[in-house]
Amino acid sequence: RQQTMRDTIGWSYDLLSSEEQALFRRLAVFAGGISPSAAAAVASAPDDLEIDPLSGLDSLAEKSLVNEVPGPLGQPRFAMLEIIREFAQDRLALAGEERATRQAHAQWFHDLAVEAEGDLRFGTNQVSWFAAIDHELGNLRAAMTWCQSIGNGERLVRIAAALDEYWFSHSLYREFLQWLEAGRAMQPALDPVVN
């Protein structure tokens, strides 16, 4: 049954334009959902696409390769079924685009965490940032996992530390410490600003 589903996904993939195929492959790095702005930044690695990512997402939704789901504050968001995501990951690796795409994904979510940091602690937008991080937690974990896999302890610690208020308020202190320990184990002499 699973092979039949993969064959069906492959048939749908083969019907996509080359630009839609590239977008589809690159969306495989997302875990737990895709915002259009993140898709635009991440899908442009390793090279710019000639397709507008939002139009591309709409097209992939029409072809049932992604689903539109509710996002924070009513913003659009998309998700892939796990079997479709696995197929896309295989195609991403075969295309030789995985490293660049995962790097772009990690950069985007690093920047998001750093942007959220001040408001998570003291800002007037704290509630909306908590909601946004709730939706992006899978992606943030995927970004930190990637940083760990390539030995970038500094970026891993920076993402985790930027979200310290989130970890504490959601009773995820143990996970927070695990991320910090993993990052510091790779790079014990991290810059004091990161610590």
Side-chain angles (χ1 to χ4, degrees):
R1 182 172 175 229
Q2 193 166 9
Q3 185 58 47
T4 302
M5 288 188 71
R6 285 185 66 85
D7 290 345
T8 302
I9 297 164
W11 178 77
S12 296
Y13 176 79
D14 290 340
L15 294 176
L16 299 175
S17 71
S18 61
E19 292 294 311
E20 288 174 322
Q21 287 178 349
L23 175 62
F24 172 74
R25 289 190 305 267
R26 295 170 190 181
L27 295 177
V29 300
F30 287 89
I34 308 159
S35 70
S37 55
V42 172
S44 65
D47 51 25
D48 287 333
L49 294 176
E50 293 179 19
I51 186 174
D52 172 61
L54 187 54
S55 298
L57 280 164
D58 288 338
S59 178
L60 293 175
E62 288 171 12
K63 296 169 176 82
S64 301
L65 291 169
V66 298
N67 300 312
E68 189 165 350
V69 295
L73 306 173
Q75 297 170 344
R77 192 166 177 84
F78 296 85
M80 273 187 183
L81 294 175
E82 193 56 32
I83 191 166
I84 295 174
R85 186 170 175 255
E86 289 170 5
F87 178 91
Q89 286 174 331
D90 290 345
R91 291 300 181 270
L92 184 68
L94 287 172
E97 300 169 338
E98 185 172 14
R99 184 173 183 84
T101 306
R102 289 200 182 279
Q103 283 290 107
H105 179 271
Q107 181 67 51
W108 171 265
F109 286 99
H110 166 272
D111 294 348
L112 180 80
V114 170
E115 182 183 349
E117 184 174 20
D119 275 329
L120 286 173
R121 289 189 186 139
F122 315 111
T124 56
N125 296 323
Q126 187 181 49
V127 172
S128 61
W129 272 113
F130 275 117
I133 300 303
D134 284 341
H135 280 84
E136 298 297 2
L137 190 56
N139 282 309
L140 289 156
R141 286 173 171 149
M144 290 185 289
T145 299
W146 171 252
C147 292
Q148 186 174 10
S149 75
I150 62 168
N152 191 338
E154 184 170 353
R155 175 162 289 170
L156 190 163
V157 168
R158 186 65 187 108
I159 295 170
L163 302 174
D164 64 350
E165 189 67 31
Y166 181 87
W167 302 117
F168 292 127
S169 69
H170 287 72
S171 301
L172 296 170
Y173 183 70
R174 182 170 287 161
E175 181 180 355
F176 171 59
L177 290 179
Q178 289 170 343
W179 287 120
L180 290 182
E181 288 168 11
R184 289 184 173 140
M186 286 182 275
Q187 291 175 276
L190 285 174
D191 186 310
V193 174
V194 175
N195 294 324

